[in-house]
Amino acid sequence: MTKPLVAIRQVSRSFGEFQALKQVSLDIWPREVVCLIGPSGSGKTSLLRCINQLSPVDSGGIWLDGELLGLREAGGQLHRLSEREVARQRLSCGMVFQRFNLFPHMTALENIVEGPVQVQRRKLPEVKAEAMELLRRVGLAEKANAYPSQLSGGQQQRVAIARALAMKPKLVLFDEPTSALDPELVGEVLSVMKELAKSGMTMLVVTHELGFAREVADRVVYMDQGRIVECGRATDVLNSPREPRTRAFLSAEVG
Amino acid sequence: MSEQQALADGFPDLSSLRVAREAHWGRWLTAAIIVVVLAAIARAFAYGQIEWSYVGRFITAPVIVKGIVNTMVMAVLAMTLGIVLGVIVAISRLSPNPVLRSVASGYTWLFRGTPLILQLLLWFNLALVFPTIGIPSLWSARAVDVMTPIVAALLGLGINQGAYTSEVMRAGLLSVDIGQYEAAQAIGMGRLRALRRIILPQAMRVVIPPLGNEFIGLVKATSLASVIQYPEVLHSAENIYYANSRVIELLIVAGLWYLLVVSLLAPLQMLLERRFARGVARITR
């Protein structure tokens, strides 16, 4: 019996009065691609940020590869982990941001080797070779020494994907990776993600690209108002949604 | 489109005419007035009670040159202390730890809130409060031996500078996009490493022009250390004119040296700015 790579149980998260996540539970299995869809403010991004501990959960728990994230149980109480331990847990989990967030003062190559060298304390020559291989994989080998300001949005996002992969994560989170891109640049990023999915990487993708979800996702999760409304095989949820809210959302997106 | 547009009459073709240069009479006139006023001021000084030969003689006098060297040494040391303190205080003010935050704000409040000359005098006269200073049972010394003019000047100027620099650094840290912190965290960096590797290098770009300002201010503020007997250039000039009564001449000597030092800083600042502008698409002008 395999175990889920990520197990999310009764996770809630509020920002002031606003409840972004209400008792959300979800499993993500190894090598699975899950797409999170839903209207803005539905909690998709909040869920991603909780998994990467960019924002802590208020209640509930998230386990990554069997390890409880951000918390430790002792004496019938939960204790928050130290910053150092949280940083260590984040290593298993790559993140790709909507606005790329490349480091502007470093070249593409320097962006990619920064984590492995500075955080994982690996040797530069070996990491550099791997980084060049990653740049080839995302089709940007000739841009190794370009600064982010010299790259198009699509190229920046592909470097950002390479940067996430350089840490050898067990899971990569994508937060609307194509939403900030000009329409003609979306395709190149999606094709890199497709290739990554094919290679067996476990991926959780917040996206509005329903075509991508239909083609690549194993499962699609529809969220609304902080809850998971519907969750199932991609073709089932996208082609014949059971819930009226999902149906309304999908027809609005396509229409 | 092959079809000819039907255009309305009454709008002649201007494409063969050039735009004439403007005369700018106002600019010529104001420039002439300024030249006359400057000439009058120059003439007044030339015929005034100034022995320019004294300026020439003392501008390279060993005491004066030693004074300006001391000025620069003190400015560099105090700025270094100021930047170190400023970075620590700025980071503390943005820390999640409320104790650090309040200590840092308290420091800025205290040292920005009192005159620099008063702080210098307090440091210099510390011996009146604490005749001996030290760490109990480890080390101690008489305060008058420790608080020499150079130590008092360095502490006074550097700690005061730190309070101002901390606000400049804080502005720089705040100017970096929050996404940069998150991206640094996402590759497993802790707070301090993210600050050192990712945030500070980007903040430096924003911070150098105001820091240049601060440094120029500090070069001139070292003159205040003359009141606690630190032998900087103004102090040397004063010592000379106490002896020979050439007050204005020696003040001009000191003034020329300050102008020279400050003028040399601008190209240095440009080099630094270029260093930290890596990867940034330059907006010129």
Side-chain angles (χ1 to χ4, degrees), chain B residues 33-52:
Chain B
I33 293 173
I34 289 167
V35 167
V36 169
V37 170
L38 286 179
I41 293 173
R43 187 176 172 281
F45 271 92
Y47 287 91
Q49 305 267 329
I50 298 174
E51 286 291 335
W52 287 97

Side-chain angles (χ1 to χ4, degrees), chain B residues 204-213 215-216 261-278 282-285:
Chain B
M204 285 315 284
R205 194 176 61 81
V206 181
V207 147
I208 285 172
L211 275 191
N213 232 0
F215 189 59
I216 287 171
V261 169
V262 169
S263 310
L264 291 178
L265 292 176
L268 273 179
Q269 179 177 334
M270 233 171 61
L271 285 179
L272 269 180
E273 281 183 32
R274 213 168 291 162
R275 169 78 177 74
F276 283 102
R278 271 176 315 168
R282 288 281 282 235
I283 304 161
T284 39
R285 291 162 65 90

Side-chain angles (χ1 to χ4, degrees), chain A residues 69-190:
Chain A
L69 295 182
L71 297 166
R72 180 170 47 85
E73 204 183 333
Q77 267 190 318
L78 291 172
H79 302 271
R80 293 216 182 276
L81 293 183
S82 71
E83 193 197 322
R84 181 185 290 269
E85 285 170 292
V86 169
R88 180 186 56 76
Q89 289 186 333
R90 281 204 188 100
L91 294 180
S92 331
C93 177
M95 177 108 177
V96 175
F97 297 87
Q98 182 176 0
R99 309 273 318 278
F100 331 133
N101 295 350
L102 288 181
F103 306 132
H105 57 305
M106 299 181 182
T107 63
L109 188 67
E110 287 168 347
N111 264 278
I112 299 173
V113 302
E114 179 70 9
V117 170
Q118 291 294 325
V119 180
Q120 294 175 328
R121 295 278 167 216
R122 295 175 51 207
K123 292 273 175 293
L124 182 63
E126 147 196 344
V127 174
K128 229 176 185 167
E130 281 179 22
M132 283 310 298
E133 183 50 41
L134 282 169
L135 277 171
R136 251 191 297 283
R137 203 169 148 192
V138 300
L140 290 171
E142 78 285 6
K143 296 287 187 188
N145 294 317
Y147 284 99
S149 61
Q150 299 163 323
L151 300 174
S152 74
Q155 292 171 330
Q156 288 188 50
Q157 192 62 298
R158 287 188 278 156
V159 173
I161 293 172
R163 178 174 69 179
L165 295 178
M167 307 296 290
K168 305 193 174 169
K170 296 171 183 157
L171 159 85
V172 182
L173 307 169
F174 292 84
D175 185 10
E176 305 201 23
T178 59
S179 299
L181 294 176
D182 290 336
E184 77 271 18
L185 302 176
V186 169
E188 61 189 66
V189 172
L190 290 183

Side-chain angles (χ1 to χ4, degrees), chain A residues 31-33 165 169-172 196-203:
Chain A
R31 304 176 71 82
E32 193 181 30
V33 177
L165 295 178
K170 296 171 183 157
L171 159 85
V172 182
L196 186 58
K198 218 174 288 171
S199 76
M201 177 57 77
T202 312
M203 294 160 64

